[in-house]
Amino acid sequence: SNSQPCEGESVDFTNTGTSGPEWTFTWDFDVDASPNVSNDENPTGVYWTSSGVKTVILTVSSPYCVNTGQMTINVQAKPDVEFTAPLRVCQGDTAVFEFRGGDTIGATYLWTMEGGSPSGANTRDAWTVYGPVGWRDVKLVVVNSNGCVDSLVKQVLVDSTPGVSFTSTAPVCAGESVDFTNTGTTGPEWVYLWDFGSGSSPRVSTQENPGGIVYSEGGRYLVGLQVTNVYTGCSSYDTMSIEIWSLPVADAGPIDTTICFGTTVQLGTPGIAGYSYSWTPTEGLDDPTVAQPVANPDGSMTVYHLVVVDQNGCVNRDSIIVYMLDPLRVDAGPDVEICYGDTVQLSSTFEQRYQYVWSPNYNIDDTSAVDPYVWPDSTVTYVVTVIDTSVYRCGSASDAVTVVVHPLPDAKITPRYDTIALGESTQLVATGGVQYEWYPQEGLDNAGVYNPVASPDTTMMYVVKVVDVYGCVNWDSAVVYVRVPEVWIPNAFSPNGDGLNDEVGVEGYGFVRYDFRVYDRLGGLVFRSTDPGLKWDGRNMGTGEPCPEGAYVYRFEGELSDGRTVELQGIINLIR
């Protein structure tokens, strides 16, 4: 047999010892062998699926005699061949293959890359550039330092790349729509991504033939189109420069203007040669076809619209508002409601040419301000008088606003002070409002209700914010004292009816489970309670008769609110 085969390489065995039909042959080829055992005299085609030293045992036996022999086979490890390969690449792209097998010190590599350039390599990793489309085999053969050989074949799909070209309806005026038409690769398997450049709306599109693209400013724009195969991801990109004509200058005037009754104002700015001008409405204008007409409006507010057309037919528009002064008017604003102690800002109709006087001079920061701050402690009505101090001299007018002051809510917490054992709870109840917020939230089951359950771990002061129907806010506080649960039992009591030490039981705080038992000297149960409030009055629980004076044994088993389990036993002396 071959004493150093590779993994998976078949080995034939030949018996060179005792032979004959009267003998039975039993072969054991060790672990990972296929087959694992054989009864042939000269077994063939045996191979191992793992490397290492294998012990082969041959047992030759007859009904009367048995003998055993063995030999070792050193199975050589074959190379662990694995490599990464892209499932698919695009035509003209580079595909990289990286070896990902096991230890290959001293190994040799042979790559065969069908349809690639280069088509082969003798390096650990390899690369190639694919040309023709279709499925291509990639094969790697590895021979390790033991001379063992293994190989692996994978397939790469080479996909075609698209052709990209397009046309547009440009040039157009700024603000007009541009349509684009794809003239390259088309079909349902392709997706299109357009970039129309900064200043376009929309900036991008995924339609094959997008339309309605608007550029807000004139100039040259670089438009790009990327076409990608939805199944393969192969794509190409191309660009085109388009021109957008700038709009003509349209300026109806630098700012909106205000005039008095019976006066005029000149609109627009100096004209530009080659432009045509048109103003609307025409009423009140001396010439609606010039760049700077004179306007004499007859309304309190007139909007004049200007349309300008240049040599390319591009159109631009502008407008200006001419205000006609109305009689003096003032508005102190609607009545307001505040809470006691709050400040509110009043506001009247603002005109730059007015002088303002507020009265009364009661809790107000500035009686000459347009929007003074006030903080009355009771309901009060403020009156503002405005006086036109400009050249127009439009007289004066007054208006009033009432500030209604609501008292703060009567915020109260009960109980204000409470004591609980660690692990116990108490309910706090707040009154005086319609909305409540408790601080801190630690230990509360719900900090947004009027009656939360408090279970703090330490003594805690809780503060409640009380809001009434008017939104007014007030506060109150309460303290929950937290005591560590403790247990003790008196060692004597005297149930003589004098009101002192007439009963005995387990004393303490924070009982969750309570089981108190008393036994007489013979072990008989004379009293049992599972309620901390029920104590032993010196009577036999079963008969109701008074128990004689003496020592009694007690046992207590319980659980406290902090999670501790307590077990106590001892002597209670009954004294009569």
Side-chain angles (χ1 to χ4, degrees):
S1 66
N2 180 3
S3 61
Q4 292 190 345
C6 296
E7 291 177 80
E9 180 181 349
S10 63
V11 178
D12 299 336
F13 291 87
T14 303
N15 170 38
T16 58
T18 301
S19 179
E22 69 275 19
W23 299 99
T24 299
F25 302 91
T26 302
W27 295 81
D28 185 341
F29 302 115
D30 211 341
V31 296
D32 296 327
S34 180
N36 188 252
V37 296
S38 176
N39 296 117
D40 295 340
E41 181 178 356
N42 300 300
T44 62
V46 180
Y47 65 91
W48 286 266
T49 59
S50 65
S51 61
V53 176
K54 313 295 181 180
T55 301
V56 179
I57 300 174
L58 171 60
T59 301
V60 181
S61 60
S62 69
Y64 309 104
C65 299
V66 177
N67 198 3
T68 300
Q70 69 179 31
M71 68 178 298
T72 59
I73 301 293
N74 187 8
V75 179
Q76 304 297 313
K78 69 178 181 179
D80 178 17
V81 181
E82 181 55 72
F83 62 89
T84 62
L87 294 177
R88 53 198 319 164
V89 297
C90 299
Q91 188 177 19
D93 287 353
T94 299
V96 178
F97 310 101
E98 295 183 357
F99 182 75
R100 287 292 185 267
D103 182 19
T104 54
I105 297 177
T108 60
Y109 306 87
L110 177 60
W111 293 88
T112 302
M113 296 165 287
E114 178 191 7
S117 179
S119 61
N122 294 317
T123 56
R124 190 173 188 271
D125 301 324
W127 62 271
T128 190
V129 177
Y130 282 108
V133 300
W135 286 101
R136 298 291 178 260
D137 288 340
V138 180
K139 181 178 181 180
L140 172 60
V141 178
V142 180
V143 182
N144 64 15
S145 58
N146 297 323
C148 295
V149 181
D150 201 2
S151 64
L152 178 63
V153 176
K154 293 187 177 183
Q155 284 193 318
V156 177
L157 179 59
V158 181
D159 297 303
S160 60
T161 56
V164 181
S165 62
F166 58 93
T167 62
S168 76
T169 58
V172 298
C173 301
E176 296 181 0
S177 64
V178 181
D179 299 334
F180 294 88
T181 302
N182 168 44
T183 57
T185 301
T186 185
E189 71 273 21
W190 301 98
V191 293
Y192 303 87
L193 179 60
W194 297 79
D195 185 343
F196 305 113
S198 177
S200 64
S201 178
R203 171 66 186 266
V204 296
S205 175
T206 57
Q207 298 179 17
E208 180 178 356
N209 299 300
I213 313 305
V214 176
Y215 293 85
S216 59
E217 301 291 341
R220 299 203 68 86
Y221 294 85
L222 189 64
V223 179
L225 170 60
Q226 178 176 297
V227 182
T228 304
N229 191 295
V230 69
Y231 303 110
T232 67
C234 295
S235 66
S236 294
Y237 183 78
D238 196 10
T239 60
M240 171 191 291
S241 177
I242 64 171
E243 181 181 3
I244 303 298
W245 290 321
S246 297
L247 298 182
V249 176
D251 188 353
I255 57 173
D256 295 336
T257 186
T258 301
I259 63 175
C260 294
F261 286 106
T263 62
T264 61
V265 62
Q266 188 175 43
L267 308 180
T269 55
I272 298 175
Y275 287 9
S276 65
Y277 298 85
S278 175
W279 292 84
T280 56
T282 60
E283 293 78 14
L285 297 180
D286 63 343
D287 188 349
T289 64
V290 297
Q292 291 182 287
V294 175
N296 182 19
D298 58 2
S300 61
M301 184 189 77
T302 304
V303 181
Y304 290 100
H305 300 280
L306 170 63
V307 177
V308 182
V309 182
D310 67 6
Q311 301 90 330
N312 294 320
C314 294
V315 179
N316 203 357
R317 295 172 172 82
D318 194 20
S319 62
I320 186 172
I321 302 176
V322 178
Y323 294 97
M324 186 75 72
L325 285 177
D326 292 329
L328 185 65
R329 54 191 174 86
V330 62
D331 182 3
D335 294 342
V336 296
E337 299 181 41
I338 64 172
C339 300
Y340 179 84
D342 286 352
T343 298
V344 66
Q345 187 176 26
L346 305 180
S347 179
S348 65
T349 305
F350 175 73
E351 290 287 348
Q352 186 69 42
R353 59 194 180 96
Y354 290 169
Q355 176 185 351
Y356 296 83
V357 179
W358 290 85
S359 64
N361 186 10
Y362 169 68
N363 289 358
I364 185 170
D365 68 336
D366 188 352
T367 58
S368 62
V370 176
D371 47 3
Y373 287 92
V374 298
W375 54 94
D377 51 18
S378 61
T379 299
V380 63
T381 298
Y382 290 95
V383 178
V384 60
T385 301
V386 298
I387 304 170
D388 185 359
T389 58
S390 72
V391 295
Y392 304 107
R393 300 296 177 180
C394 296
S396 65
S398 299
D399 194 24
V401 59
T402 299
V403 179
V404 179
V405 180
H406 296 289
L408 299 183
D410 184 15
K412 289 185 179 180
I413 302 176
T414 56
R416 186 171 295 277
Y417 302 98
D418 199 4
T419 300
I420 63 173
L422 180 63
E424 291 184 337
S425 301
T426 184
Q427 188 167 44
L428 304 177
V429 179
T431 58
V434 295
Q435 181 179 343
Y436 302 85
E437 295 181 28
W438 294 81
Y439 306 93
Q441 298 183 9
E442 177 183 354
L444 299 181
D445 66 336
N446 188 339
V449 297
Y450 77 96
N451 59 344
V453 175
S455 308
D457 295 332
T458 60
T459 295
M460 187 77 68
M461 173 182 283
Y462 288 104
V463 178
V464 66
K465 175 183 177 183
V466 179
V467 184
D468 65 12
V469 294
Y470 302 108
C472 297
V473 177
N474 208 350
W475 305 78
D476 196 17
S477 63
V479 179
V480 178
Y481 296 94
V482 179
R483 301 175 61 173
V484 177
E486 55 182 322
V487 175
W488 72 91
I489 301 177
N491 57 14
F493 76 117
S494 56
N496 54 13
D498 63 356
L500 299 174
N501 299 321
D502 287 334
E503 296 179 331
V504 70
V506 181
E507 306 292 340
Y509 308 96
F511 293 111
V512 175
R513 182 170 56 84
Y514 181 98
D515 190 354
F516 176 58
R517 307 183 188 190
V518 180
Y519 301 88
D520 60 20
R521 68 184 60 190
L522 298 179
L525 180 66
V526 298
F527 177 76
R528 181 181 183 183
S529 172
T530 58
D531 179 1
L534 179 61
K535 302 184 182 302
W536 185 36
D537 61 359
R539 297 177 181 274
N540 188 299
M541 179 179 63
T543 64
E545 296 296 324
C547 296
E549 185 176 67
Y552 291 81
V553 176
Y554 71 82
R555 294 182 184 276
F556 173 71
E557 295 178 357
E559 182 180 347
L560 303 183
S561 58
D562 61 0
R564 289 182 294 158
T565 299
V566 179
E567 295 184 3
L568 301 174
Q569 65 179 13
I571 300 297
I572 296 177
N573 292 298
L574 191 158
I575 302 172
R576 294 193 181 279

